[in-house]
Amino acid sequence: QSVLTQPPSASGTPGQRVTISCSGGTSNIGSDYVYWYQQLPRTAPKLLIYSNTQRPSGVPGRFSGSKSDTSASLAIDGLQSEDEADYYCAIWDDSLSKYVFGTGTKVTVL
Amino acid sequence: EVKLVESGGGVVQPGGSLRLSCAASGFTFDASAMHWVRQAPGKGLEWVATITGDGVSSYYVDSVTGRFTVSRDNSKNFLSLQMSSLRTEDTAIYYCARDTYKWNPGTIADWGQGTLVTVS
């Protein structure tokens, strides 16, 4: 079982704001950068956010990341139908030299 | 354009062995740490292993330590995962993935299409 806990599901109508949480602890999120990945159905994951808040080129501006103490969040502002996917938070735990993915959140566009 | 192409997946009996390969192109291979990440059917992502760009250091999830070995050939731009003593719970799609850093992993920027390993 992952040390990074996410809600199993989230949903919204087109145009709404959806927020996904990622809860950890002081030894992981509190100490390391958080990454977010999007996995569309039947495709490989894609990097969405790195270093807590940074978007790679090509990722729409409606996606944003934040981190506070022992939790992190991914927000989708202006939800679109193509955002229907699974979303995973992750960290590289420097103290353990291990990469950890969150439990994953399925986002549904109503 | 970064390209990562996995191969070597298939069906293997419990206790058997399999070697996965990943052919990389479109970037300076030895400047990137590389990862293997797997996804069991209907489940979430699970990190498996990481190797630094120079191949000196490697790291594993506890459940595969002692059974899996990650290696790389920087002269041929190839990444490998040697899997032995396979268990049914190793059944998954295995993704090869590129990090943006050589020695300090974290940002998995590019992913292959995955190769399916079935232990049955």
Side-chain angles (χ1 to χ4, degrees):
Chain A
Q1 190 73 327
S2 177
V3 297
L4 302 180
T5 303
Q6 299 178 234
S9 63
S11 62
T13 56
Q16 272 191 327
R17 174 185 170 97
V18 170
T19 303
I20 302 167
S21 62
C22 175
S23 298
T26 53
S27 63
N28 41 66
I29 289 183
S31 308
D32 302 298
Y33 284 127
V34 177
Y35 307 88
W36 288 93
Y37 298 89
Q38 176 194 57
Q39 187 176 30
L40 298 170
R42 295 172 297 284
T43 67
K46 169 190 168 184
L47 178 66
L48 211 56
I49 297 288
Y50 66 97
S51 300
N52 302 330
T53 61
Q54 304 302 302
R55 272 191 319 274
S57 61
V59 172
R62 63 179 182 275
F63 293 96
S64 63
S66 64
K67 188 179 105 165
S68 176
D69 294 332
T70 58
S71 67
S73 294
L74 174 72
I76 310 175
D77 278 297
L79 189 67
Q80 298 187 8
S81 57
E82 59 261 39
D83 299 333
E84 192 160 279
D86 294 323
Y87 293 83
Y88 297 90
C89 62
I91 60 163
W92 172 262
D93 190 320
D94 225 15
S95 64
L96 299 177
S97 294
K98 295 185 187 302
Y99 208 87
V100 181
F101 286 97
T103 51
T105 299
K106 183 176 184 61
V107 169
T108 302
V109 181
L110 301 171
Chain B
E1 177 198 2
V2 171
K3 203 170 180 186
L4 300 169
V5 180
E6 303 94 337
S7 60
V11 180
V12 61
Q13 291 185 339
S17 298
L18 208 58
R19 186 179 185 90
L20 304 184
S21 295
C22 173
S25 61
F27 63 100
T28 304
F29 188 61
D30 63 4
S32 293
M34 296 295 293
H35 306 270
W36 287 99
V37 176
R38 68 184 178 184
Q39 187 168 34
K43 302 297 184 182
L45 300 175
E46 180 183 37
W47 169 76
V48 175
T50 296
I51 186 167
T52 53
D54 57 7
V56 170
S57 299
S58 56
Y59 313 97
Y60 301 90
V61 68
D62 290 348
S63 60
V64 309
T65 298
R67 300 189 299 123
F68 290 11
T69 301
V70 60
S71 61
R72 62 192 297 160
D73 185 337
N74 285 348
S75 67
K76 296 180 180 176
N77 290 5
F78 259 82
L79 176 73
S80 297
L81 184 69
Q82 178 67 46
M83 306 184 294
S84 60
S85 302
L86 283 161
R87 306 166 181 167
T88 54
E89 54 264 36
D90 295 319
T91 294
I93 296 172
Y94 284 73
Y95 294 101
C96 163
R98 180 187 80 92
D99 202 286
T100 57
Y101 291 100
K102 185 172 183 176
W103 289 297
N104 299 312
T107 307
I108 303 181
D110 299 286
W111 300 69
Q113 84 288 349
T115 187
L116 178 62
V117 172
T118 302
V119 184
S120 176

